[in-house]
mmCIF file with all atom_site columns, all heavy atoms in Angstrom:
data_model
loop_
_atom_site.group_PDB
_atom_site.id
_atom_site.type_symbol
_atom_site.label_atom_id
_atom_site.label_alt_id
_atom_site.label_comp_id
_atom_site.label_asym_id
_atom_site.label_entity_id
_atom_site.label_seq_id
_atom_site.pdbx_PDB_ins_code
_atom_site.Cartn_x
_atom_site.Cartn_y
_atom_site.Cartn_z
_atom_site.occupancy
_atom_site.B_iso_or_equiv
_atom_site.pdbx_formal_charge
_atom_site.auth_seq_id
_atom_site.auth_comp_id
_atom_site.auth_asym_id
_atom_site.auth_atom_id
_atom_site.pdbx_PDB_model_num
ATOM 1   N N   . ASN A 1 165 ? 89.890  113.288 95.687  1.00 0.00 ? 349 ASN A N   1
ATOM 2   C CA  . ASN A 1 165 ? 90.472  113.713 96.961  1.00 0.00 ? 349 ASN A CA  1
ATOM 3   C C   . ASN A 1 165 ? 91.748  114.537 96.748  1.00 0.00 ? 349 ASN A C   1
ATOM 4   O O   . ASN A 1 165 ? 91.993  115.520 97.461  1.00 0.00 ? 349 ASN A O   1
ATOM 5   C CB  . ASN A 1 165 ? 90.784  112.489 97.826  1.00 0.00 ? 349 ASN A CB  1
ATOM 6   C CG  . ASN A 1 165 ? 89.532  111.707 98.192  1.00 0.00 ? 349 ASN A CG  1
ATOM 7   O OD1 . ASN A 1 165 ? 88.414  112.205 98.063  1.00 0.00 ? 349 ASN A OD1 1
ATOM 8   N ND2 . ASN A 1 165 ? 89.711  110.474 98.634  1.00 0.00 ? 349 ASN A ND2 1
ATOM 9   N N   . ILE A 1 166 ? 92.550  114.129 95.786  1.00 0.00 ? 350 ILE A N   1
ATOM 10  C CA  . ILE A 1 166 ? 93.774  114.878 95.469  1.00 0.00 ? 350 ILE A CA  1
ATOM 11  C C   . ILE A 1 166 ? 93.404  116.274 94.975  1.00 0.00 ? 350 ILE A C   1
ATOM 12  O O   . ILE A 1 166 ? 94.035  117.270 95.355  1.00 0.00 ? 350 ILE A O   1
ATOM 13  C CB  . ILE A 1 166 ? 94.610  114.131 94.413  1.00 0.00 ? 350 ILE A CB  1
ATOM 14  C CG1 . ILE A 1 166 ? 95.122  112.804 94.979  1.00 0.00 ? 350 ILE A CG1 1
ATOM 15  C CG2 . ILE A 1 166 ? 95.784  114.988 93.949  1.00 0.00 ? 350 ILE A CG2 1
ATOM 16  C CD1 . ILE A 1 166 ? 95.820  111.924 93.960  1.00 0.00 ? 350 ILE A CD1 1
ATOM 17  N N   . ARG A 1 167 ? 92.386  116.357 94.134  1.00 0.00 ? 351 ARG A N   1
ATOM 18  C CA  . ARG A 1 167 ? 91.961  117.666 93.616  1.00 0.00 ? 351 ARG A CA  1
ATOM 19  C C   . ARG A 1 167 ? 91.561  118.593 94.764  1.00 0.00 ? 351 ARG A C   1
ATOM 20  O O   . ARG A 1 167 ? 91.928  119.772 94.788  1.00 0.00 ? 351 ARG A O   1
ATOM 21  C CB  . ARG A 1 167 ? 90.785  117.498 92.648  1.00 0.00 ? 351 ARG A CB  1
ATOM 22  C CG  . ARG A 1 167 ? 90.260  118.828 92.095  1.00 0.00 ? 351 ARG A CG  1
ATOM 23  C CD  . ARG A 1 167 ? 89.017  118.631 91.261  1.00 0.00 ? 351 ARG A CD  1
ATOM 24  N NE  . ARG A 1 167 ? 87.938  117.996 91.997  1.00 0.00 ? 351 ARG A NE  1
ATOM 25  C CZ  . ARG A 1 167 ? 87.189  118.605 92.913  1.00 0.00 ? 351 ARG A CZ  1
ATOM 26  N NH1 . ARG A 1 167 ? 87.411  119.883 93.214  1.00 0.00 ? 351 ARG A NH1 1
ATOM 27  N NH2 . ARG A 1 167 ? 86.230  117.963 93.541  1.00 0.00 ? 351 ARG A NH2 1
ATOM 28  N N   . LYS A 1 168 ? 90.790  118.074 95.740  1.00 0.00 ? 352 LYS A N   1
ATOM 29  C CA  . LYS A 1 168 ? 90.369  118.896 96.879  1.00 0.00 ? 352 LYS A CA  1
ATOM 30  C C   . LYS A 1 168 ? 91.577  119.384 97.675  1.00 0.00 ? 352 LYS A C   1
ATOM 31  O O   . LYS A 1 168 ? 91.607  120.535 98.144  1.00 0.00 ? 352 LYS A O   1
ATOM 32  C CB  . LYS A 1 168 ? 89.439  118.087 97.790  1.00 0.00 ? 352 LYS A CB  1
ATOM 33  C CG  . LYS A 1 168 ? 88.085  117.760 97.167  1.00 0.00 ? 352 LYS A CG  1
ATOM 34  C CD  . LYS A 1 168 ? 87.267  116.887 98.107  1.00 0.00 ? 352 LYS A CD  1
ATOM 35  C CE  . LYS A 1 168 ? 85.912  116.523 97.490  1.00 0.00 ? 352 LYS A CE  1
ATOM 36  N NZ  . LYS A 1 168 ? 85.141  115.620 98.388  1.00 0.00 ? 352 LYS A NZ  1
ATOM 37  N N   . THR A 1 169 ? 92.577  118.531 97.811  1.00 0.00 ? 353 THR A N   1
ATOM 38  C CA  . THR A 1 169 ? 93.777  118.892 98.567  1.00 0.00 ? 353 THR A CA  1
ATOM 39  C C   . THR A 1 169 ? 94.562  119.995 97.866  1.00 0.00 ? 353 THR A C   1
ATOM 40  O O   . THR A 1 169 ? 95.012  120.962 98.490  1.00 0.00 ? 353 THR A O   1
ATOM 41  C CB  . THR A 1 169 ? 94.661  117.649 98.768  1.00 0.00 ? 353 THR A CB  1
ATOM 42  O OG1 . THR A 1 169 ? 93.907  116.626 99.442  1.00 0.00 ? 353 THR A OG1 1
ATOM 43  C CG2 . THR A 1 169 ? 95.889  117.978 99.599  1.00 0.00 ? 353 THR A CG2 1
ATOM 44  N N   . PHE A 1 170 ? 94.724  119.867 96.560  1.00 0.00 ? 354 PHE A N   1
ATOM 45  C CA  . PHE A 1 170 ? 95.459  120.888 95.800  1.00 0.00 ? 354 PHE A CA  1
ATOM 46  C C   . PHE A 1 170 ? 94.672  122.197 95.747  1.00 0.00 ? 354 PHE A C   1
ATOM 47  O O   . PHE A 1 170 ? 95.262  123.285 95.745  1.00 0.00 ? 354 PHE A O   1
ATOM 48  C CB  . PHE A 1 170 ? 95.763  120.388 94.393  1.00 0.00 ? 354 PHE A CB  1
ATOM 49  C CG  . PHE A 1 170 ? 97.025  119.569 94.317  1.00 0.00 ? 354 PHE A CG  1
ATOM 50  C CD1 . PHE A 1 170 ? 97.014  118.213 94.599  1.00 0.00 ? 354 PHE A CD1 1
ATOM 51  C CD2 . PHE A 1 170 ? 98.230  120.155 93.962  1.00 0.00 ? 354 PHE A CD2 1
ATOM 52  C CE1 . PHE A 1 170 ? 98.167  117.457 94.534  1.00 0.00 ? 354 PHE A CE1 1
ATOM 53  C CE2 . PHE A 1 170 ? 99.393  119.420 93.900  1.00 0.00 ? 354 PHE A CE2 1
ATOM 54  C CZ  . PHE A 1 170 ? 99.370  118.059 94.190  1.00 0.00 ? 354 PHE A CZ  1
ATOM 55  N N   . GLU A 1 171 ? 93.364  122.107 95.707  1.00 0.00 ? 355 GLU A N   1
ATOM 56  C CA  . GLU A 1 171 ? 92.540  123.310 95.711  1.00 0.00 ? 355 GLU A CA  1
ATOM 57  C C   . GLU A 1 171 ? 92.715  124.061 97.036  1.00 0.00 ? 355 GLU A C   1
ATOM 58  O O   . GLU A 1 171 ? 92.753  125.300 97.066  1.00 0.00 ? 355 GLU A O   1
ATOM 59  C CB  . GLU A 1 171 ? 91.070  122.936 95.499  1.00 0.00 ? 355 GLU A CB  1
ATOM 60  C CG  . GLU A 1 171 ? 90.107  124.113 95.458  1.00 0.00 ? 355 GLU A CG  1
ATOM 61  C CD  . GLU A 1 171 ? 90.304  125.027 94.258  1.00 0.00 ? 355 GLU A CD  1
ATOM 62  O OE1 . GLU A 1 171 ? 91.011  124.626 93.303  1.00 0.00 ? 355 GLU A OE1 1
ATOM 63  O OE2 . GLU A 1 171 ? 89.775  126.156 94.283  1.00 0.00 ? 355 GLU A OE2 1
ATOM 64  N N   . PHE A 1 172 ? 92.822  123.313 98.119  1.00 0.00 ? 356 PHE A N   1
ATOM 65  C CA  . PHE A 1 172 ? 93.078  123.914 99.423  1.00 0.00 ? 356 PHE A CA  1
ATOM 66  C C   . PHE A 1 172 ? 94.398  124.692 99.413  1.00 0.00 ? 356 PHE A C   1
ATOM 67  O O   . PHE A 1 172 ? 94.466  125.848 99.851  1.00 0.00 ? 356 PHE A O   1
ATOM 68  C CB  . PHE A 1 172 ? 93.110  122.814 100.490 1.00 0.00 ? 356 PHE A CB  1
ATOM 69  C CG  . PHE A 1 172 ? 93.741  123.232 101.789 1.00 0.00 ? 356 PHE A CG  1
ATOM 70  C CD1 . PHE A 1 172 ? 93.092  124.103 102.648 1.00 0.00 ? 356 PHE A CD1 1
ATOM 71  C CD2 . PHE A 1 172 ? 94.990  122.760 102.148 1.00 0.00 ? 356 PHE A CD2 1
ATOM 72  C CE1 . PHE A 1 172 ? 93.669  124.489 103.852 1.00 0.00 ? 356 PHE A CE1 1
ATOM 73  C CE2 . PHE A 1 172 ? 95.584  123.146 103.344 1.00 0.00 ? 356 PHE A CE2 1
ATOM 74  C CZ  . PHE A 1 172 ? 94.915  124.012 104.188 1.00 0.00 ? 356 PHE A CZ  1
ATOM 75  N N   . ALA A 1 173 ? 95.476  124.062 98.881  1.00 0.00 ? 357 ALA A N   1
ATOM 76  C CA  . ALA A 1 173 ? 96.791  124.709 98.865  1.00 0.00 ? 357 ALA A CA  1
ATOM 77  C C   . ALA A 1 173 ? 96.818  125.911 97.925  1.00 0.00 ? 357 ALA A C   1
ATOM 78  O O   . ALA A 1 173 ? 97.602  126.838 98.126  1.00 0.00 ? 357 ALA A O   1
ATOM 79  C CB  . ALA A 1 173 ? 97.856  123.704 98.464  1.00 0.00 ? 357 ALA A CB  1
ATOM 80  N N   . ARG A 1 174 ? 95.966  125.905 96.906  1.00 0.00 ? 358 ARG A N   1
ATOM 81  C CA  . ARG A 1 174 ? 95.912  127.038 95.979  1.00 0.00 ? 358 ARG A CA  1
ATOM 82  C C   . ARG A 1 174 ? 95.366  128.285 96.682  1.00 0.00 ? 358 ARG A C   1
ATOM 83  O O   . ARG A 1 174 ? 95.782  129.405 96.396  1.00 0.00 ? 358 ARG A O   1
ATOM 84  C CB  . ARG A 1 174 ? 95.037  126.693 94.775  1.00 0.00 ? 358 ARG A CB  1
ATOM 85  C CG  . ARG A 1 174 ? 95.044  127.760 93.678  1.00 0.00 ? 358 ARG A CG  1
ATOM 86  C CD  . ARG A 1 174 ? 94.114  127.373 92.550  1.00 0.00 ? 358 ARG A CD  1
ATOM 87  N NE  . ARG A 1 174 ? 92.709  127.388 92.951  1.00 0.00 ? 358 ARG A NE  1
ATOM 88  C CZ  . ARG A 1 174 ? 91.966  128.487 93.032  1.00 0.00 ? 358 ARG A CZ  1
ATOM 89  N NH1 . ARG A 1 174 ? 92.491  129.666 92.749  1.00 0.00 ? 358 ARG A NH1 1
ATOM 90  N NH2 . ARG A 1 174 ? 90.696  128.418 93.394  1.00 0.00 ? 358 ARG A NH2 1
ATOM 91  N N   . LYS A 1 175 ? 94.452  128.082 97.613  1.00 0.00 ? 359 LYS A N   1
ATOM 92  C CA  . LYS A 1 175 ? 93.810  129.213 98.296  1.00 0.00 ? 359 LYS A CA  1
ATOM 93  C C   . LYS A 1 175 ? 94.520  129.612 99.579  1.00 0.00 ? 359 LYS A C   1
ATOM 94  O O   . LYS A 1 175 ? 94.521  130.774 99.955  1.00 0.00 ? 359 LYS A O   1
ATOM 95  C CB  . LYS A 1 175 ? 92.354  128.857 98.620  1.00 0.00 ? 359 LYS A CB  1
ATOM 96  C CG  . LYS A 1 175 ? 91.473  128.634 97.392  1.00 0.00 ? 359 LYS A CG  1
ATOM 97  C CD  . LYS A 1 175 ? 90.068  128.245 97.818  1.00 0.00 ? 359 LYS A CD  1
ATOM 98  C CE  . LYS A 1 175 ? 89.156  128.032 96.626  1.00 0.00 ? 359 LYS A CE  1
ATOM 99  N NZ  . LYS A 1 175 ? 87.789  127.623 97.045  1.00 0.00 ? 359 LYS A NZ  1
ATOM 100 N N   . GLN A 1 176 ? 95.086  128.640 100.267 1.00 0.00 ? 360 GLN A N   1
ATOM 101 C CA  . GLN A 1 176 ? 95.660  128.881 101.589 1.00 0.00 ? 360 GLN A CA  1
ATOM 102 C C   . GLN A 1 176 ? 97.177  129.028 101.516 1.00 0.00 ? 360 GLN A C   1
ATOM 103 O O   . GLN A 1 176 ? 97.868  128.087 101.120 1.00 0.00 ? 360 GLN A O   1
ATOM 104 C CB  . GLN A 1 176 ? 95.325  127.712 102.513 1.00 0.00 ? 360 GLN A CB  1
ATOM 105 C CG  . GLN A 1 176 ? 96.074  127.710 103.840 1.00 0.00 ? 360 GLN A CG  1
ATOM 106 C CD  . GLN A 1 176 ? 95.622  128.829 104.746 1.00 0.00 ? 360 GLN A CD  1
ATOM 107 O OE1 . GLN A 1 176 ? 94.488  128.870 105.172 1.00 0.00 ? 360 GLN A OE1 1
ATOM 108 N NE2 . GLN A 1 176 ? 96.534  129.740 105.058 1.00 0.00 ? 360 GLN A NE2 1
ATOM 109 N N   . PRO A 1 177 ? 97.739  130.190 101.876 1.00 0.00 ? 361 PRO A N   1
ATOM 110 C CA  . PRO A 1 177 ? 99.205  130.297 101.942 1.00 0.00 ? 361 PRO A CA  1
ATOM 111 C C   . PRO A 1 177 ? 99.752  129.320 102.982 1.00 0.00 ? 361 PRO A C   1
ATOM 112 O O   . PRO A 1 177 ? 99.446  129.446 104.172 1.00 0.00 ? 361 PRO A O   1
ATOM 113 C CB  . PRO A 1 177 ? 99.432  131.754 102.368 1.00 0.00 ? 361 PRO A CB  1
ATOM 114 C CG  . PRO A 1 177 ? 98.155  132.458 102.050 1.00 0.00 ? 361 PRO A CG  1
ATOM 115 C CD  . PRO A 1 177 ? 97.065  131.446 102.231 1.00 0.00 ? 361 PRO A CD  1
ATOM 116 N N   . CYS A 1 178 ? 100.524 128.341 102.548 1.00 0.00 ? 362 CYS A N   1
ATOM 117 C CA  . CYS A 1 178 ? 100.987 127.306 103.467 1.00 0.00 ? 362 CYS A CA  1
ATOM 118 C C   . CYS A 1 178 ? 102.110 126.515 102.814 1.00 0.00 ? 362 CYS A C   1
ATOM 119 O O   . CYS A 1 178 ? 102.447 126.711 101.640 1.00 0.00 ? 362 CYS A O   1
ATOM 120 C CB  . CYS A 1 178 ? 99.839  126.355 103.843 1.00 0.00 ? 362 CYS A CB  1
ATOM 121 S SG  . CYS A 1 178 ? 99.242  125.323 102.473 1.00 0.00 ? 362 CYS A SG  1
#
Side-chain angles (χ1 to χ4, degrees):
N349 297 344
I350 295 173
R351 178 186 58 75
K352 292 177 181 177
T353 303
F354 275 85
E355 181 66 14
F356 163 72
R358 186 182 68 80
K359 296 178 179 179
Q360 169 69 64
C362 68

